[in-house]
Amino acid sequence: MPEIINAFGQPIGSPLPGWRPPPHPSATAMEGRYCRLEPLNAARHADALHAANALDRDGRNWTYLPYGPFPSADAYRDWLRAGEQSVDPLFFAIVPKSDDRPAGIAAYLRIAPEAGSIEVGHLHFSERLKHSPAATEAMVLMMERAFALGYRRYEWKCDALNAPSRAAAQRLGFSYEGIFRQATVYKGRSRDTAWYAAIDSEWPALRQAFTTWLAPENFDERGQQRQRLSELTRSIVQMRG
């Protein structure tokens, strides 16, 4: 973009004529071909989510989250009850249409309409959800809603040591933006945080990549992908790391 200089000879950012802060995302369902995202509800989702989480027998899926694993179904239900009352984070249960049973959780967080910025996080995918079209589609539906509302920046942050999360961010077309050293402390450990983001000008190309990948014809009779999503988003990603 051409450099813009103000009356003092200083470079400044691009003007945003007519831009208005977007609304806060609503706690309403999102519907896709492979999954549905429902506003988190402990009474409706707790038992199925706890059963799905129990497939992770040694609890390794909780390593990079600031909570969990939970010692009992009741403890998990109590955590969900608190989560369903929150507006930031705003939690959703991920329900694959293959069996209509909740299998994971995701949330919008650090929602900053005044900056046009929003983050996706609190991702916990059970073994039933991992590596499935439903898991990818859930992330697409959340990104789609954010940009449709008018957010300019969609963030993904994770522990810098969480290699699977970092790979997932880049597969989904998020660009690497760096490491915040000693950004926080959780579970008695120091955490460096890796930052990734997609911006609104990238959304049309990302949407086309997601549409191509999620199309039924991209999967063979065994449900195996014919074209990898990382191949479709490679040219959109601005920086890798």
Side-chain angles (χ1 to χ4, degrees):
M1 297 181 65
E3 188 176 70
I4 298 173
I5 304 297
N6 70 6
F8 306 107
Q10 299 162 316
I12 58 173
S14 300
L16 298 172
W19 184 80
R20 297 177 183 273
H24 194 285
S26 62
T28 55
M30 291 172 258
E31 195 85 22
R33 178 181 286 118
Y34 302 103
C35 77
R36 181 173 63 257
L37 283 89
E38 299 176 353
L40 186 63
N41 181 284
R44 188 165 66 249
H45 300 134
D47 289 342
L49 283 171
H50 182 70
N53 294 342
L55 298 173
D56 171 29
R57 299 193 182 280
D58 59 10
R60 69 179 57 211
N61 290 346
W62 300 98
T63 296
Y64 297 110
L65 286 169
Y67 42 78
F70 295 88
S72 66
D74 286 341
Y76 184 58
R77 186 175 290 104
D78 288 344
W79 183 83
L80 291 182
R81 286 195 186 105
E84 73 181 15
Q85 300 299 319
S86 173
V87 295
D88 187 353
L90 181 63
F91 285 95
F92 293 86
I94 302 169
V95 184
K97 291 187 174 181
S98 57
D99 59 14
D100 214 36
R101 291 185 297 152
I105 280 180
Y108 292 124
L109 68 156
R110 296 186 178 88
I111 303 166
E114 69 282 358
S117 176
I118 191 169
E119 182 179 342
V120 62
H122 291 282
L123 305 179
H124 188 257
F125 293 1
S126 74
E127 298 302 311
R128 285 182 38 236
L129 183 61
K130 284 183 177 181
H131 311 301
S132 69
T136 297
E137 186 179 55
M139 297 295 91
V140 172
L141 289 170
M142 293 188 72
M143 189 186 297
E144 181 176 47
R145 174 170 287 184
F147 284 126
L149 286 172
Y151 285 87
R152 306 174 59 238
R153 174 178 171 82
Y154 192 68
E155 298 179 336
W156 176 300
K157 304 188 188 86
C158 62
D159 190 313
L161 298 175
N162 187 350
S165 182
R166 296 181 67 167
Q170 302 251 255
R171 172 179 175 268
L172 287 163
F174 289 82
S175 294
Y176 175 64
E177 294 186 336
I179 302 290
F180 278 37
R181 299 177 299 162
Q182 296 186 12
T184 190
V185 175
Y186 74 128
K187 291 182 175 175
R189 309 189 304 257
S190 178
R191 171 175 138 163
D192 293 352
T193 296
W195 284 53
Y196 297 83
I199 59 175
D200 55 357
S201 61
E202 296 162 349
W203 171 239
L206 286 171
R207 179 173 51 199
Q208 183 56 54
F210 297 144
T211 298
T212 299
W213 190 84
L214 288 166
E217 55 268 25
N218 190 45
F219 299 92
D220 64 20
E221 61 281 356
R222 297 171 299 159
Q224 299 299 306
Q225 62 183 347
R226 301 182 191 277
Q227 189 168 12
R228 302 173 71 86
L229 182 57
S230 57
E231 296 171 354
L232 295 167
T233 59
R234 181 174 291 118
S235 63
I236 305 166
V237 172
Q238 299 299 304
M239 188 175 297
R240 299 190 173 274

